[in-house]
Amino acid sequence: DVAAAELLRVHITTLRRWLEGAVRQGTVYDPILRPERTGSRNMTWGEFVEADFLRQYRKIHEVSLGDLRAFIRELREETGVRYPLAHARPWVGPGKKLLIRAQRETNLEPELWTAFERKSGQIMLTAPAESFLGRVTFDQKGGNGIVSVLHPAGKDSAVVIDPNLRFGAPCIKGISTSTLIDAVTVGESVESLASDYDLTVAEVAEAISFEATAARLAA
């Protein structure tokens, strides 16, 4: 979970509280990302994806942890899915209301993906939904729609987080972005790295920009 906290730019104590819950002033708070405490410091891919969404809900959309905890619990009960944020895909919409992404099943076409506000039942395509679609790839084998790849800098960037590549570290074509930035730091040129790793100069530059941005946000 330490490596995950670094990738997510979340304090390790916060991440562990999301995973395992906490006790404060005699009050017991249940986990958010897990149905129950496991005592494990290892994170599954589903937990990692959910933690990324949770970070956005908290920092960008300012949704309270109490609302998120109750909402995720309800989603688990409704869908029977252990990691509903990575499967049922809820959203934060106008007025900071929690949404569930409701998908029309026709060929799983992205333009048919919508969201509905739970209280009013109003169907809409939300800006957070559009942002989400720009940052993930779904594994559509069998129509399950599970998130298979994260695009932390958006789909226009070659940087991906794939659990099947580099143990889930950000990478470009299987080359970790940290490897490239480390090489530049010790004096390697962008051109030589591109040649050594069979990347384009633009791809190496993307890796450097991604790592520099991550460092600034973590500072």
Side-chain angles (χ1 to χ4, degrees):
D1 60 1
V2 174
E6 293 177 355
L7 287 175
L8 294 165
R9 300 187 296 278
V10 173
H11 194 280
I12 185 61
T13 302
T14 298
L15 182 58
R16 287 174 179 170
R17 186 168 65 248
W18 293 352
L19 288 167
E20 288 289 290
V23 178
R24 288 185 174 179
Q25 298 179 340
T27 301
V28 178
Y29 295 94
D30 292 332
I32 300 177
L33 299 178
R34 292 172 173 167
E36 66 282 321
R37 295 175 179 82
T38 67
S40 174
R41 295 289 176 86
N42 296 322
M43 291 183 68
T44 66
W45 172 247
E47 289 166 352
F48 181 82
V49 171
E50 292 209 335
D52 181 54
F53 292 151
L54 190 59
R55 177 183 62 84
Q56 294 184 68
Y57 296 153
R58 292 289 294 132
K59 291 190 174 182
I60 298 175
H61 304 295
E62 301 178 1
V63 178
S64 74
L65 283 178
D67 286 344
L68 285 166
R69 182 180 287 105
F71 184 67
I72 294 169
R73 184 186 301 117
E74 181 178 346
L75 273 178
R76 285 198 187 103
E77 293 174 355
E78 289 180 353
T79 64
V81 174
R82 187 174 181 84
Y83 304 117
L85 291 180
H87 189 280
R89 297 179 285 277
W91 303 105
V92 175
K96 300 175 184 175
K97 295 180 179 179
L98 290 170
L99 305 171
I100 297 177
R101 198 273 308 162
Q103 181 180 328
R104 305 274 180 91
E105 295 297 336
T106 307
N107 298 321
L108 299 174
E109 293 294 332
E111 59 265 30
L112 297 178
W113 291 354
T114 57
F116 69 91
E117 202 281 301
R118 296 179 63 80
K119 293 182 179 179
S120 68
Q122 181 180 1
I123 295 177
M124 63 191 80
L125 182 65
T126 65
E130 292 174 342
S131 174
F132 171 78
L133 294 177
R135 296 183 64 253
V136 300
T137 294
F138 295 114
D139 177 5
Q140 296 185 359
K141 295 178 181 178
N144 57 19
I146 300 297
V147 173
S148 59
V149 178
L150 287 175
H151 303 265
K155 287 185 179 178
D156 290 336
S157 170
V159 179
V160 300
I161 297 178
D162 184 331
N164 298 313
L165 294 175
R166 295 294 175 183
F167 303 100
C171 64
I172 293 181
K173 293 182 178 177
I175 309 301
S176 66
T177 55
S178 62
T179 294
L180 296 171
I181 192 68
D182 288 346
V184 168
T185 301
V186 298
E188 290 281 347
S189 70
V190 171
E191 292 76 13
S192 66
L193 287 171
S195 176
D196 290 345
Y197 290 104
D198 196 23
L199 301 172
T200 67
V201 169
E203 287 169 338
V204 176
E206 275 193 71
I208 295 169
S209 176
F210 172 79
E211 287 289 332
T213 299
R216 286 198 301 273
L217 291 173

